[in-house]
Amino acid sequence: MNFDPRLTNRSFSAVGTRPIRPDGIDKVTGRARYGADFNMAGQLVGRVLRSPHAHAVIRGIDTSKAEALPGVKAVITAADLPDLTGGDSALYDILDNCMARRKALYDGHAVAAVAAIDARTARQALKLISVDYEVLPHVTDVDEAFRHGAPLIDDAIFTEGLVEKPVKPSNVVKRTQFGHGDVHKGFGEADFIVERSFRTEQTHQGYIEPHACVASVSADGMAELWVCTQGPFVYRQHCAQLLGMEASKLRVTSSEIGGGFGGKTHVWAEPVALALSRKAGRPVKLVMTRDEVFRASGPTSATSIDVRIGARKDGTITAAEATLRYSCGPYAGGWAEVGAMTAFACYRLDNVRTVGFEVLVNRPKTAAYRAPSAPMAAFAVESSIDELAGKVGMDAVDFRIKNAAQEGTRASYGPVYGPIGIGPTLEAVKNHPHMQAPLKKNQGRGMACGFWFNFGGQTCVDLNIGMDGSVSLAVGTVDVGGSRASLSLVAAEELGIDYGQVKAIVADTSSLGYNDMTDGSRGTFSSSMATISAARNAILILRERAAQMWDIPADDVVWEKGHALARGEKYGNLSPLSLKEIAAQSGTTGGPIAGHSELVADGAGVSFATHICDIEVDPETGATRVLRYTVVQDAGKAVHPTYVEGQYQGGAAQGIGWALNEEYIYGKDGRLQNAGFLDYRIPVCSDLPMIDTQILEIPNPNHPYGVRGVGETSIVPPLAAIANAVSNAVGVRMTHIPMSPPRILAALEAGAGKHDA
Amino acid sequence: MVAVTLWGSLAAVAGGKDKLDIEAKDIRELFRKLAEQYPAIEPFIDRGIAVAIDGTIYRDTWSKKLPEGAEIFLLPRLAGG
Amino acid sequence: MAGIAVSTTINGDAVEYLCQPDETLLDVLRDRLGLTGAKEGCGTGDCGACSVIVDDRLVCSCLVLGAEAEGRRVETIEGMAHGDTLHPLQQKFLEHAALQCGICTPGFLIAAKDLLAKNPDPTEEEIRFGLAGNLCRCTGYDKIVRAVQDAASVMRG
């Protein structure tokens, strides 16, 4: 990449403004097309048969009666999806999750699928498929699965990362470790030590749009997939590999997406839809019901975390350690590892050690949920930090300021930090009016910090300038929250034209080179970098064209405020040429004018946030009310400040739901009991107050405009901020998320671990 | 010559050493030399290793030069949500 | 199976269709009439993404049978704007960025329209409780409430 990504711009005309998004009108009029809003001629309805058992061997599947039902055009099982993964175990797990091959590993695991002429026939066909299950003992709890003697989910798993190689299989996939220094020595130097265990229950990303796609495989092996996804190129790769197609033969178009938050970053039912379409010879529309979304698509991990932190009288933390057990569903993942990396990332520590354990359970395959694994670790650590501050006798914010990581600190996960924003967010919180607002009886205030990585990744952008001067910007990162507006602002800024002249679209996989998915807070960060690069390439051409039109050397032409200028006194009589004017002549100066960029956007940096929350607890019922909430987070440079605020508020709201209400509830039979929005209760409008936001802008030195990723970090502090608030309100340390009314009442009654006010 | 620190689990397959001195001019050469010296590291490289150079994390830029005297840290290649 | 013939009015237009007895109004709107603005988020009346107004009553169209629309007046998101003039609620949702992914937006607009028709000057609390039947996972509701407050003020003149 010959593009220099370093920070250069510090003053802006378009970036930082708040225009209306280009896809807005379609979304407020119902015209925007999401995954389930698309239809193809002759399409069939696809439905999936799912295991009612948490753990069972599939001895056989008889699909003959279903196949014989009039109107049924295809029935498939794992037999129709041969293993083409070539030894890639991660891809094999995705394949097995899409359609069980040997065992049903969770309540809701797909075992067969049908494509029929209408929904009623498809439903009837499912009832006619008979599956011979041999039910096995199951385990759904992360701590139970961790213990010796728990039912084994995969007898080929021997724990990786142990000093002594294990001889017996286990549900613990691997042990990972991070840290530096000598924690034993560090604890020896502490005057105060806090040691606690915490648990967080499993939650779902809760996107309102269920997974939906229309798949069409033609007899010549060409295929099309319309799907709601955060990563059309990733979906193309997975589907092509699993179906034995060349990626170039599969064209994936992403619909508008109705929420993803990490849950739409890998395939769940799309290979099944393609396989049905291939077998039936017709397009197949496959939409998950809400029940299926909960039972069979990506929840986050349930966790069990032990934390120990020690500090001297003067408030300096001398040692910190954590053991983190994360559930990954029935397939290996890297969730505990990430939790172990982020747990103490906010702090400057000489002695720190974190150990993560990845634990298999008979629950759906864990998927990423907005800053995956970080919120739970932050809950455990920030709760303990609060308690330790209390023991030392310091204010919660001051204690954190004293121990906060800075430029030059060795992160608890290894590398040394460059310029980072945690100090500024803490200072901003310390001085925020929210901290001074009075509290009444049964009300408590809590604050907490959060950390998350931001990623870059492979990114392509095409910028085409029409003869009428309008600029068409084709990007490959799916727009989850307004990035088309932000990227249009960036293009307008770089070219020096009006926002209204730029039209951004999300291209399909046949129209652009490979793009990594919209995750890791990378959508605006990386696509803006590629947009700037593409715009600069287009400007080179615009200057050459102007030079042609003037018949002067291109080196004498500069680009300023959307115009070509001839630089030099001898050109005094040449008036500037606007982009429009140059574009109008493009047909005779060399053809269409465009700028392209294919790059790897790296160096996104890390992101910090601090939240403040006021909660009121009803001591008779344990019910809670969120009174006030403030998010302070560093955005580097807010391209479209309203959308940055939106990300802060959205992450906070998800964190509030997670902290107070949301959890997967399993029965003794291993079946999910609350697979719907009635009993899996996400926050509604009346649960929340206005969510105040403060955007700090500490420019990222590795982006031309200083942009940092913003999408994920705001879900990291809420669990802890709210737990600290509730703990302060009730005078009891809360250690189990969600803090639903029964748990708060139980804690009040037990009066366990009263902490110093 | 660069000093490379490996995270705990990676150190375990590099003969228990968490600090190595490697002669490498860029990330690609670093991975190649590591795999040569410690074949057990190869599956980790395939699964994905991120490289932090003076605190900035690089996931895919294998041509990134390793400046003399820079702090190089190897981490699991993460993804977000 | 023989369908039930239904005659109804949708967004002011006379509409006729055949539907199965167990088909919901949501299914009819989306699959038979091509009106995909109403969304299925849950199918059980818990998320409000399928909100429509039937005879001036806010309902979840996933809980109404297609056959029940007989002789009634149905209003969907597609009828909210007048030609190319957006309804003030639609305009304010855009101005306040009261949508991120937008999947819940049609449902919210219909619910907000119904709320303001019955209570043109609601307090913040009345707005929050009035819209509590619509789930949004992206915004945290802050900008939605502000958009409704602003639209209400415009509509009061």
Side-chain angles (χ1 to χ4, degrees):
Chain A
M1 156 173 136
N2 52 4
F3 166 72
D4 185 352
R6 284 173 303 170
L7 174 68
T8 44
N9 279 47
R10 290 185 189 270
S11 73
F12 303 92
S13 20
V15 161
T17 60
R18 302 169 184 253
I20 291 182
R21 59 198 284 175
D23 54 311
I25 299 231
D26 280 355
K27 290 189 169 166
V28 298
T29 56
R31 251 180 265 163
R33 291 188 306 168
Y34 293 83
D37 297 334
F38 184 75
N39 295 299
M40 288 183 75
Q43 78 185 13
L44 303 169
V45 174
R47 292 296 310 261
V48 177
L49 181 67
R50 299 183 178 279
S51 164
H53 303 293
H55 197 193
V57 173
I58 299 170
R59 285 206 284 237
I61 305 183
D62 181 358
T63 58
S64 54
K65 290 205 184 70
E67 288 173 62
L69 182 69
V72 171
K73 303 300 179 187
V75 181
I76 65 166
T77 63
D80 296 277
L81 285 162
D83 178 5
L84 301 169
T85 60
D88 179 341
S89 64
L91 191 59
Y92 182 87
D93 289 343
I94 290 177
L95 174 65
D96 191 76
N97 191 52
C98 286
M99 186 70 65
R101 303 181 82 70
R102 261 192 339 116
K103 290 204 289 182
L105 294 167
Y106 55 92
D107 166 36
H109 197 169
V111 300
V114 306
I117 52 172
D118 56 34
R120 155 171 295 170
T121 309
R123 281 196 302 268
Q124 278 179 320
L126 289 187
K127 292 205 178 96
L128 295 174
I129 299 175
S130 76
V131 184
D132 182 12
Y133 291 107
E134 179 196 328
V135 179
L136 301 170
H138 63 268
V139 58
T140 53
D141 180 82
V142 62
D143 282 327
E144 277 176 39
F146 186 78
R147 287 195 261 277
H148 290 302
L152 267 186
I153 293 175
D154 187 342
D155 53 20
I157 294 281
F158 292 80
T159 312
E160 250 183 63
L162 295 177
V163 173
E164 269 184 45
K165 223 168 154 14
V167 294
K168 282 204 246 171
S170 163
N171 289 324
V172 182
V173 179
K174 62 180 174 178
R175 177 190 186 280
T176 50
Q177 184 173 320
F178 296 89
H180 54 263
D182 179 347
V183 290
H184 183 74
K185 169 167 157 290
F187 282 117
E189 292 165 11
D191 296 309
F192 299 100
I193 295 181
V194 164
E195 183 166 4
R196 278 210 187 267
S197 292
F198 300 85
R199 279 184 55 109
T200 69
E201 296 299 332
Q202 187 159 53
T203 58
H204 192 279
Q205 298 82 348
Y207 31 84
I208 306 298
E209 178 198 32
H211 300 267
C213 69
V214 181
S216 174
V217 182
S218 308
D220 62 354
M222 303 292 289
E224 283 192 58
L225 181 70
W226 166 275
V227 60
C228 55
T229 169
Q230 290 173 244
F233 290 88
V234 172
Y235 275 41
R236 180 181 71 164
Q237 199 173 299
H238 287 170
C239 289
Q241 268 180 281
L242 294 177
L243 268 80
M245 284 179 195
E246 286 166 44
S248 58
K249 293 209 153 92
L250 172 59
R251 181 180 194 176
V252 179
T253 305
S254 67
S255 66
E256 296 295 337
I257 182 173
F261 316 111
K264 291 178 179 165
T265 54
H266 77 64
V267 294
W268 302 97
E270 293 73 13
V272 171
L274 284 160
L276 282 169
S277 175
R278 183 167 59 183
K279 198 166 185 186
R282 284 166 66 167
V284 172
K285 183 168 183 175
L286 205 162
V287 180
M288 278 199 191
T289 61
R290 175 53 51 184
D291 172 87
E292 290 180 286
V293 172
F294 278 114
R295 288 170 71 212
S297 76
T300 189
S301 304
T303 73
S304 165
I305 303 175
D306 310 315
V307 173
R308 195 164 170 243
I309 317 183
R312 277 195 280 267
K313 281 200 278 280
D314 70 353
T316 315
I317 297 176
T318 59
E321 91 182 324
T323 306
L324 309 101
R325 291 166 292 277
Y326 278 57
S327 70
C328 50
Y331 308 102
W335 311 107
E337 191 166 52
V338 180
M341 288 174 74
T342 61
F344 292 109
C346 293
Y347 299 102
R348 191 179 66 251
L349 303 164
D350 289 334
N351 306 299
V352 58
R353 187 174 73 177
T354 55
V355 175
F357 291 102
E358 207 71 35
V359 183
L360 297 176
V361 289
N362 290 116
R363 290 187 181 213
K365 183 177 195 290
T366 296
Y369 179 11
R370 202 168 197 162
S373 300
M376 307 80 132
F379 161 59
V381 169
E382 288 294 288
S383 298
S384 306
I385 291 273
D386 240 40
E387 196 174 350
L388 188 56
K391 280 195 165 161
V392 169
M394 271 180 88
D395 166 77
V397 181
D398 288 333
F399 185 74
R400 286 170 172 83
I401 290 176
K402 189 176 174 68
N403 291 286
Q406 316 160 324
E407 179 165 7
T409 300
R410 174 163 301 286
S412 56
Y413 60 91
V416 169
Y417 285 123
I420 53 176
I422 181 171
T425 64
L426 282 167
E427 293 291 340
V429 155
K430 188 177 156 90
N431 298 317
H432 199 284
H434 184 162
M435 293 303 276
Q436 313 308 325
L439 287 169
K440 301 194 194 127
K441 190 167 181 294
N442 293 322
Q443 295 181 352
R445 176 164 301 143
M447 53 77 57
C449 304
F451 161 88
W452 185 243
F453 305 97
N454 291 325
F455 299 121
Q458 300 188 61
T459 318
C460 298
V461 161
D462 275 354
L463 191 152
N464 288 291
I465 301 179
M467 289 180 72
D468 62 354
S470 63
V471 175
S472 216
L473 187 66
V475 305
T477 43
V478 170
D479 183 348
V480 297
S483 55
R484 270 166 292 192
S486 310
L487 297 171
S488 301
L489 282 170
V490 168
E493 182 76 49
E494 199 63 32
L495 292 169
I497 59 177
D498 268 344
Y499 168 79
Q501 250 176 286
V502 184
K503 303 286 171 266
I505 61 146
V506 177
D508 64 48
T509 58
S510 295
S511 313
L512 265 191
Y514 185 89
N515 274 266
D516 276 320
M517 49 203 176
T518 299
D519 75 332
S521 309
R522 67 174 290 268
T524 302
F525 169 78
S526 39
S527 280
S528 66
M529 196 185 281
T531 299
I532 293 167
S533 173
R536 290 182 184 172
N537 291 336
I539 287 172
L540 285 172
I541 299 178
L542 286 162
R543 283 171 49 213
E544 279 165 25
R545 300 300 179 89
Q548 261 190 65
M549 287 159 76
W550 284 325
D551 199 12
I552 66 175
D555 283 341
D556 290 346
V557 180
V558 295
W559 189 263
E560 237 171 71
K561 294 194 170 64
H563 290 74
L565 296 164
R567 181 180 34 200
E569 275 187 24
K570 57 183 163 168
Y571 301 125
N573 60 328
L574 290 175
S575 15
L577 281 172
S578 72
L579 181 142
K580 253 193 199 157
E581 288 166 319
I582 300 171
Q585 302 287 322
S586 55
T588 53
T589 57
I593 301 175
H596 306 283
S597 172
E598 290 85 31
L599 51 77
V600 172
D602 251 331
V606 295
S607 181
F608 290 92
T610 303
H611 292 196
I612 317 167
C613 177
D614 292 349
I615 300 267
E616 183 178 281
V617 178
D618 181 336
E620 282 185 40
T621 62
T624 50
R625 204 159 63 92
V626 183
L627 301 168
R628 187 166 174 178
Y629 203 97
T630 303
V631 175
V632 180
Q633 185 176 330
D634 174 19
K637 175 67 198 166
V639 175
H640 191 308
T642 316
Y643 291 116
V644 173
E645 287 162 7
Q647 292 302 312
Y648 291 5
Q649 292 169 331
Q654 287 180 313
I656 291 170
W658 192 341
L660 294 173
N661 261 318
E662 296 175 39
E663 65 179 294
Y664 266 43
I665 298 174
Y666 278 83
K668 284 206 164 57
D669 57 0
R671 302 205 67 183
L672 181 60
Q673 311 235 305
N674 59 336
F677 279 132
L678 182 63
D679 296 316
Y680 181 89
R681 176 70 160 67
I682 75 175
V684 303
C685 199
S686 50
D687 292 328
L688 302 176
M690 295 296 185
I691 301 173
D692 295 325
T693 60
Q694 190 178 342
I695 302 175
L696 299 184
E697 290 185 320
I698 296 149
N700 173 6
N702 293 316
H703 184 285
Y705 296 174
V707 171
R708 293 184 193 272
V710 297
E712 294 166 293
T713 308
S714 62
I715 201 176
V716 182
L719 272 63
I722 295 167
N724 287 336
V726 172
S727 302
N728 286 331
V730 304
V732 178
R733 173 55 52 187
M734 302 302 295
T735 59
H736 194 166
I737 291 268
M739 295 167 289
S740 51
R743 288 215 178 94
I744 291 182
L745 280 181
L748 283 171
E749 276 158 35
K754 272 191 150 46
H755 75 127
D756 306 320
Chain B
M1 185 70 80
V2 285
V4 179
T5 311
L6 313 180
W7 89 89
S9 317
L10 202 61
V13 301
K17 287 204 270 190
D18 66 347
K19 280 192 175 28
L20 300 170
D21 285 324
I22 309 252
E23 190 75 59
K25 65 178 188 314
D26 57 34
I27 291 181
R28 173 172 287 103
E29 197 178 352
L30 173 65
F31 284 162
R32 190 169 54 75
K33 294 245 170 101
L34 277 172
E36 272 168 26
Q37 278 182 35
Y38 305 102
I41 278 191
E42 217 164 336
F44 284 86
I45 296 176
D46 289 339
R47 240 184 275 175
I49 295 182
V51 181
I53 301 173
D54 287 335
T56 304
I57 297 176
Y58 295 90
R59 291 196 308 173
D60 297 308
T61 322
W62 284 24
S63 57
K64 184 81 191 156
K65 303 250 176 299
L66 305 176
E68 196 68 39
E71 189 218 40
I72 314 288
F73 207 98
L74 300 190
L75 296 167
R77 185 183 190 284
L78 308 167
Chain C
M1 188 183 298
I4 300 177
V6 177
S7 293
T8 183
T9 309
I10 301 187
N11 299 326
D13 297 326
V15 172
E16 291 182 348
Y17 54 81
L18 278 177
C19 70
Q20 297 298 310
D22 58 353
E23 231 174 292
T24 64
L25 177 58
L26 179 63
D27 290 335
V28 168
L29 288 170
R30 290 181 55 80
D31 300 333
R32 292 193 186 272
L33 302 177
L35 294 167
T36 56
K39 311 292 179 197
E40 176 164 328
C42 70
T44 51
D46 298 311
C47 75
C50 65
S51 299
V52 298
I53 294 173
V54 178
D55 283 353
D56 299 316
R57 190 177 156 194
L58 179 69
V59 296
C60 284
S61 58
C62 72
L63 295 181
V64 175
L65 294 174
E68 289 185 81
E70 172 68 42
R72 299 191 194 274
R73 280 173 298 111
V74 179
E75 294 165 68
T76 72
I77 184 68
E78 286 87 350
M80 200 153 162
H82 282 290
D84 63 356
T85 308
L86 294 177
H87 188 284
L89 278 166
Q90 291 171 308
Q91 184 60 37
K92 290 305 173 187
F93 263 58
L94 288 176
E95 285 171 25
H96 287 269
L99 58 141
Q100 287 181 29
C101 81
I103 191 93
C104 71
T105 303
F108 264 99
L109 286 168
I110 291 286
K113 179 176 161 193
D114 178 73
L115 171 74
L116 295 182
K118 292 168 179 145
N119 182 355
D121 192 3
T123 62
E124 180 186 332
E125 193 174 35
E126 285 169 335
I127 293 174
R128 287 188 178 278
F129 278 86
L131 296 177
N134 291 72
L135 299 182
C136 174
R137 196 54 161 168
C138 293
T139 67
Y141 307 103
D142 181 297
K143 295 180 191 299
I144 291 176
V145 172
R146 291 180 200 278
V148 173
Q149 286 170 326
D150 199 1
S153 154
V154 163
M155 287 164 70
R156 286 193 300 272

